């Protein structure tokens, strides 16, 4: 499923991590009401979204001509 | 077997539909934005070759950076707003006695009287009294809340009866609502001593010094409780 092109593969990886993070956050918003929902939203969802964004930014930097 | 599976699926669908139906409009908006972002990200994941074009690059920037940040910001704001609710505060096991103390059937219990007579919004009862009405007070209250959650989940929380305020309760929090109210300004006890009202307003005499029973969690076993509005 992952592309053979390094840049595209990094973008795919970033997208998958972001989708997981956003799914976690959406579930917390729909189902969570208490402190546990908040913790999962911030710690797990937030972490996955941040990692996804960082992977995207790294892929941009790595694609720059040296 | 097949029917049982379908029944479970239908049950899950109606559960999800019920949850969606009970959601606030703002939450629906944020969840819709997240859903749309996920769909757009899926385009990049399943068709990464679209990023070879100029339009594809712009799409990648939008859905892999801008939209997730927007979703996280809006979702975070919604979660922070939700953290002001009474339900949120009482979701920690340690806070249960404090929640119970709101239903004590004794009007001399300050928190119970405020909660039961809607002198504070019942769905934001804890936050209304325990926030700080000074500049950046709401922010300070939220940071304190984050600290409480950290201690609750990763530290050693104290017993409910050992919980104490960080600092003595400031009259400013009471006066936020009571200042200017006739019952406060012209109350017989408050006006009996002409020095009392100025002292209360200057926080030199604490409101709690007279209204001393607030959350008496140690005597909950001896109390009668209000069953709640029908």
């Amino acid at each position: 499923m992952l592309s053979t092109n390094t840049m595209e593969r990094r973008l795919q990886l970033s997208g998958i991590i972001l989708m997981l993070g956003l799914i976690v956050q959406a579930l917390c918003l729909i189902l969570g009401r208490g402190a546990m929902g908040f913790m999962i939203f911030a710690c797990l969802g937030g972490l996955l979204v941040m990692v996804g964004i960082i992977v995207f930014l790294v892929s941009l930097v790595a694609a720059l001509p040296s | 077997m097949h029917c049982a599976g379908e029944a479970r699926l239908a049950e899950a669908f109606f559960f999800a539909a019920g949850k969606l139906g009970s959601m606030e409009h703002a939450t629906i908006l944020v969840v819709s934005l997240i859903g749309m972002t996920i769909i757009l990200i899926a385009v990049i994941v399943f068709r990464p070759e679209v990023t070879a074009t100029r339009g594809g690059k712009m799409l990648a920037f939008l859905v892999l950076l801008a939209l997730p940040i927007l979703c996280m910001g809006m979702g975070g704001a919604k979660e922070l707003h939700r953290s002001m609710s009474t339900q949120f505060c009482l979701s920690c096991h340690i806070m249960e006695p404090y929640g119970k103390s709101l239903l004590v059937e004794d009007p001399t219990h300050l928190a119970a009287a405020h909660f039961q007579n809607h002198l504070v919004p019942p769905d934001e009862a804890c936050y209304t009294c325990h926030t700080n009405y000074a500049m950046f007070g709401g922010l300070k209250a939220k940071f304190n809340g984050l600290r409480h959650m950290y201690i609750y989940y990763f530290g050693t929380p104290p017993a409910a009866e050992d919980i104490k305020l960080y600092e003595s309760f400031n009259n400013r929090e009471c006066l936020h609502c009571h200042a200017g109210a006739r019952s406060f300004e012209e109350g017989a006890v408050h006006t009996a001593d002409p020095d009392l009202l100025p002292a209360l307003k200057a926080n030199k005499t604490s409101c709690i010094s007279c209204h001393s029973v607030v959350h008496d969690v140690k005597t909950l076993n001896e109390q009668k409780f209000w069953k709640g509005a029908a």
Side-chain angles (χ1 to χ4, degrees), chain A residues 1 3 7-9 11-16 18-19 22-23 25-26 28-39 41 43 45-47 49-50 52-53 56-57 60, chain B residues 15 19 22-23 27 30-31 34 37-38 41-42 44-46 48-49 51 60-61 63-65 68-69 71-72 75-76 78-80 82 87-88 91-92 146 149 153-154:
Chain A
M1 186 193 134
S3 170
M7 172 72 177
E8 288 179 359
R9 199 168 55 242
L11 291 179
Q12 282 180 309
L13 186 66
S14 161
I16 291 166
L18 280 170
M19 280 202 290
L22 290 172
I23 288 169
Q25 294 194 339
C28 289
L29 283 167
I30 296 168
L31 304 171
R33 285 288 178 271
M36 182 57 90
F38 184 91
M39 290 298 280
F41 179 93
C43 296
L47 182 76
V49 171
M50 289 307 291
I53 288 171
F56 170 66
L57 292 175
L60 291 188
Chain B
F15 175 74
K19 281 281 179 188
S22 66
M23 276 199 302
T27 310
V30 180
V31 171
I34 291 176
T37 307
I38 290 171
I41 292 173
I44 301 288
V45 171
F46 292 107
E49 61 275 12
T51 57
F61 179 80
V63 303
L64 297 178
L65 185 71
I69 290 174
C71 290
M72 200 162 69
K78 189 74 205 106
E79 283 287 333
L80 270 181
R82 198 179 272 174
Q87 191 186 16
F88 183 93
S91 68
C92 289
L146 288 175
M149 280 199 288
Y153 287 111
F154 305 111

Side-chain angles (χ1 to χ4, degrees), chain B residues 28 32-33 73 97 125 162 172 182 185 215 224:
Chain B
I28 294 171
S32 306
L33 181 69
D162 294 333
R172 174 189 58 219
R182 190 175 179 187
E185 303 282 352
H215 293 283
K224 284 183 181 168

Side-chain angles (χ1 to χ4, degrees), chain B residues 177-194:
Chain B
C177 295
H178 290 283
R182 190 175 179 187
S183 59
F184 172 74
E185 303 282 352
E186 297 179 10
V189 178
H190 292 164
T191 51
D193 177 357

Side-chain angles (χ1 to χ4, degrees), chain B residues 13-14 42 57 66 71 82 91 113 137 144 153 161 174 189 194 206 222:
Chain B
F13 173 78
F14 285 118
K57 285 186 176 67
C71 290
R82 198 179 272 174
S91 68
N144 279 339
Y153 287 111
E161 57 271 20
C174 307
V189 178
S206 174
E222 303 154 21

